[in-house]
């Protein structure tokens, strides 16, 4: 008996949870869609970089060629979506907002430059793991810049992702005999890049919180790339183009599987996916905020491990999910498995914290302007009242019959079956049997 009741209660709770999830997805379908695009495009960007590493080198770090392609991709993606939606007139700009956007662009370009150099020195796997530290750095910077309150469950998820992954990758690398100076440079540049990149998240989000009429996300994406496009275009014209063969073409010849066709295909794929990723970043940042966007990077890194194994394991053994090379111990073989598990567990724990307080992000900007999606809904609506409407009868004076009452409307109105009222002999009784508005016969109404 009790077991049947417990199973029924659990089934009801599961049904309520499914309904809550479905209702949340319906109400926030746009935010979920853009956050999904952000994660999927992030995995695609990492895979295109691996393809560049295999077939194109890629270009030398001092050329900044990939940064040149990346910011042009962001600029064109924002401009394309701006034209499609015709949203250039949305929002009001102020000098303070322009200054914040400029600061965000500078922080982004510096952190991306450091990440680019760190990837070349440390490799894509080290980049993937250290880049996950953006989660905890972004949470910390959001509490300072945006004055938001991060749930302890989200802190736990972020710390689990970052701390577990760093412990997984660094001790074997530091105690390995293959340690080189380039590895330390890679770690140094990537950590600095993660801190700068994480700090740029809340600064960029601040653009949408400083005014009740913020600009569109695609306008911020477009304008935020203009400064970097101009600077990197000047660098490419003045430095990279005169040294084109040395900085771009020669790395193709020294790649593990050199191919000019595959190299330019990889460059095109990298540019396209990075443009989509940049637009999805601004969309997600405006709709869900800094903390969910930063923590979702853990899911991206988990996807990188899986797709790198599926696409490149046969040609690049270091991309395999489990390293079966001779001479590797059990720790090196299970390294990516542990990192993948910690990424997934950390993201799930942080997601539980977000679902436990879904309005935390909306109510955390009380010192700023309210979130554009936070619309106050009145708890009760006053019922309008109306004056009595006189309905003429056969009596000498009209009988007032009210159609609605200012008092609370009862759920049921008792209707007498029969009304027995002594009728005075001197007053004529009207004979019509027309119905009133509430269903009673006029003949049933006491004229007194």
């Amino acid at each position: 008996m009790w077991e049947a009741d417990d199973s029924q209660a659990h089934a009801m709770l599961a049904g309520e949870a499914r309904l809550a999830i479905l209702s949340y997805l319906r109400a926030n379908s746009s935010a979920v869609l853009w956050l999904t695009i952000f994660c999927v495009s992030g995995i695609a960007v990492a895979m295109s970089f691996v393809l560049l590493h295999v077939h194109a080198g890629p270009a030398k770090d001092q050329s900044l060629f990939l940064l040149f392609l990346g910011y042009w991709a962001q600029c064109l993606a924002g401009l394309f979506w701006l034209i499609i939606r015709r949203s250039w007139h949305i929002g009001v700009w102020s000098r303070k907002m322009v200054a914040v956007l400029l600061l965000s662009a500078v922080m982004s370009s510096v952190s991306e430059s450091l990440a680019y150099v760190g990837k070349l020195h440390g490799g894509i796997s080290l980049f993937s793991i250290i880049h996950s530290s953006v989660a905890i750095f972004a949470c910390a910077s959001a509490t300072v810049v945006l004055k938001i309150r991060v749930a302890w469950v989200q802190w736990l998820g972020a710390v689990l992702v970052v701390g577990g992954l760093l412990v997984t990758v660094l001790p074997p690398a530091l105690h390995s005999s293959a340690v080189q100076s380039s590895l330390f440079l890679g770690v140094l540049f990537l950590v600095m890049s993660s801190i700068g990149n994480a700090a740029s998240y809340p600064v960029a989000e601040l653009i949408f919180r400083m005014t009740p009429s913020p600009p569109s996300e695609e306008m911020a994406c477009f304008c935020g790339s203009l400064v970097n496009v101009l600077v990197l275009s000047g660098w490419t014209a003045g430095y990279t183009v005169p040294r084109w063969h040395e900085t771009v073409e020669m790395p193709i010849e020294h790649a593990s599987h050199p191919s000019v066709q595959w190299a330019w295909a990889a460059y095109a794929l990298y540019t396209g996916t990075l443009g989509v990723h940049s637009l999805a970043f601004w969309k997600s940042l405006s709709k869900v905020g800094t903390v969910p966007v930063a923590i979702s990077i853990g899911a991206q890194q988990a996807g990188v491990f899986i797709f790198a194994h599926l696409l490149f394991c046969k040609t690049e053994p270091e991309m395999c999910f489990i390293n079966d090379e001779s001479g590797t111990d059990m720790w090196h073989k299970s390294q990516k498995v542990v990192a993948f598990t910690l990424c997934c567990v950390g993201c799930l724990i942080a997601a539980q914290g977000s679902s436990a307080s879904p309005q935390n992000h909306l109510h955390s900007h009380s010192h700023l302007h309210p979130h554009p999606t936070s619309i106050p809904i009145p708890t009760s609506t006053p019922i309008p009242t109306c004056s009595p409407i006189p309905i003429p009868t056969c009596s000498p004076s009209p009988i007032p019959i009210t159609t609605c009452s200012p008092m609370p409307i009862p759920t049921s109105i008792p209707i007498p079956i029969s009304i027995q009222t002594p009728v005075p002999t001197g007053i004529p009784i009207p004979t019509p049997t027309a119905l009133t508005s509430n269903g009673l016969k006029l003949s049933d109404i006491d004229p007194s």
Side-chain angles (χ1 to χ4, degrees):
M1 179 67 180
W2 293 105
E3 294 179 357
D5 293 340
D6 290 341
S7 61
Q8 186 177 3
H10 287 306
M12 292 178 61
L13 290 176
E16 292 177 358
R18 285 193 295 268
L19 290 176
I21 293 174
L22 290 176
S23 62
Y24 175 83
L25 293 178
R26 292 192 190 100
N28 302 274
S29 57
S30 177
V32 173
L33 176 63
W34 280 111
L35 190 61
T36 303
I37 295 174
F38 177 69
C39 294
V40 174
S41 60
I43 297 173
V45 169
M47 293 300 98
S48 62
F49 186 84
V50 175
L51 198 64
L52 283 172
H53 180 77
V54 173
H55 298 290
K60 290 186 178 180
D61 53 356
Q62 61 267 27
S63 69
L64 301 180
F65 185 58
L66 288 185
L67 286 180
F68 168 78
L69 295 178
Y71 279 107
W72 265 107
Q74 176 182 341
C75 179
L76 295 177
L79 180 62
F80 174 77
W81 206 253
L82 194 65
I83 295 175
I84 292 295
R85 291 194 59 207
R86 297 184 178 183
S87 56
W88 50 79
H89 62 281
I90 296 177
V92 179
W93 288 90
S94 63
R95 292 183 179 180
K96 188 176 181 180
M97 293 175 63
V98 173
V100 171
L101 183 64
L102 181 61
L103 176 61
S104 172
V106 172
M107 295 173 66
S108 175
S109 61
V110 172
S111 61
E112 290 295 334
S113 302
L114 294 173
Y116 176 49
V117 177
K119 279 189 286 188
L120 294 178
H121 285 285
I124 185 64
S125 296
L126 187 62
F127 164 77
S128 299
I129 293 191
I130 296 182
H131 191 60
S132 297
S133 62
V134 169
I136 190 169
F137 291 141
C139 292
S141 58
T143 58
V144 176
V145 177
L146 299 174
K147 302 294 189 296
I148 69 172
R149 180 178 57 85
V150 181
W152 69 269
V153 179
Q154 293 175 311
W155 279 113
L156 177 61
V159 170
L160 183 62
V161 170
V162 177
L165 292 180
L166 290 179
V167 168
T168 302
V169 68
L170 289 180
L174 294 177
H175 291 86
S176 174
S177 59
V179 172
Q180 299 176 358
S181 60
S182 61
L183 177 63
F184 290 105
L185 289 177
V187 172
L188 177 63
F189 286 132
L190 289 174
V191 170
M192 294 173 60
S193 168
S194 296
I195 296 175
N197 191 19
S200 69
Y201 280 35
V203 174
E205 185 186 352
L206 193 61
I207 298 172
F208 304 108
R209 312 292 176 242
M210 295 174 64
T211 173
S213 302
S216 62
E217 299 90 348
E218 51 270 18
M219 176 62 82
C221 177
F222 170 71
C223 296
S225 63
L226 290 179
V227 175
N228 295 320
V229 163
L230 295 176
V231 173
L232 291 170
S233 297
W235 179 266
T236 302
Y239 180 87
T240 305
V241 173
R243 300 167 179 81
W244 186 260
H245 178 73
E246 175 187 350
T247 58
V248 178
E249 294 179 348
M250 283 186 61
I252 298 177
E253 301 173 1
H254 294 88
S256 57
H257 296 80
S259 173
V260 177
Q261 292 79 9
W262 274 105
W264 289 112
Y267 278 123
L269 180 63
Y270 179 83
T271 304
T273 54
L274 193 56
V276 175
H277 188 64
S278 300
L279 178 61
F281 167 78
W282 285 97
K283 288 283 188 179
S284 302
L285 202 63
S286 172
K287 295 179 182 299
V288 299
T290 293
V291 176
V293 171
I295 293 177
S296 69
I297 295 177
Q300 296 179 42
Q301 306 315 318
V304 167
F305 289 127
I306 295 296
F307 282 94
H309 174 83
L310 295 176
L311 298 176
F312 302 103
C313 182
K314 293 182 178 179
T315 58
E316 300 291 329
E318 67 271 13
M319 297 295 171
C320 295
F321 195 65
I322 298 177
N323 191 357
D324 290 330
E325 290 183 343
S326 59
T328 57
D329 54 13
M330 183 58 66
W331 181 252
H332 287 79
K333 290 181 179 180
S334 60
Q335 178 178 339
K336 291 184 180 179
V337 178
V338 175
F340 173 82
T341 304
L342 291 174
C343 270
C344 294
V345 172
C347 289
L348 289 175
I349 291 178
Q352 291 296 324
S354 300
S355 61
S357 56
Q359 299 299 324
N360 182 42
H361 175 67
L362 301 182
H363 297 297
S364 59
H365 300 284
S366 57
H367 67 294
L368 303 172
H369 290 281
H371 195 278
T373 58
S374 178
I375 302 176
I377 301 176
T379 56
S380 61
T381 304
I383 300 176
T385 61
C386 46
S387 58
I389 300 176
I391 299 178
T393 63
C394 296
S395 59
S397 61
I399 300 176
I401 305 295
T402 58
T403 57
C404 55
S405 173
M407 300 299 290
I409 300 175
T411 56
S412 62
I413 302 176
I415 300 176
I417 299 176
S418 62
I419 302 176
Q420 297 179 358
T421 305
V423 180
T425 57
I427 301 175
I429 301 175
T431 58
T433 58
L435 296 177
T436 63
S437 60
N438 58 3
L440 297 177
K441 295 180 180 180
L442 292 175
S443 58
D444 294 334
I445 301 176
D446 186 359
S448 62

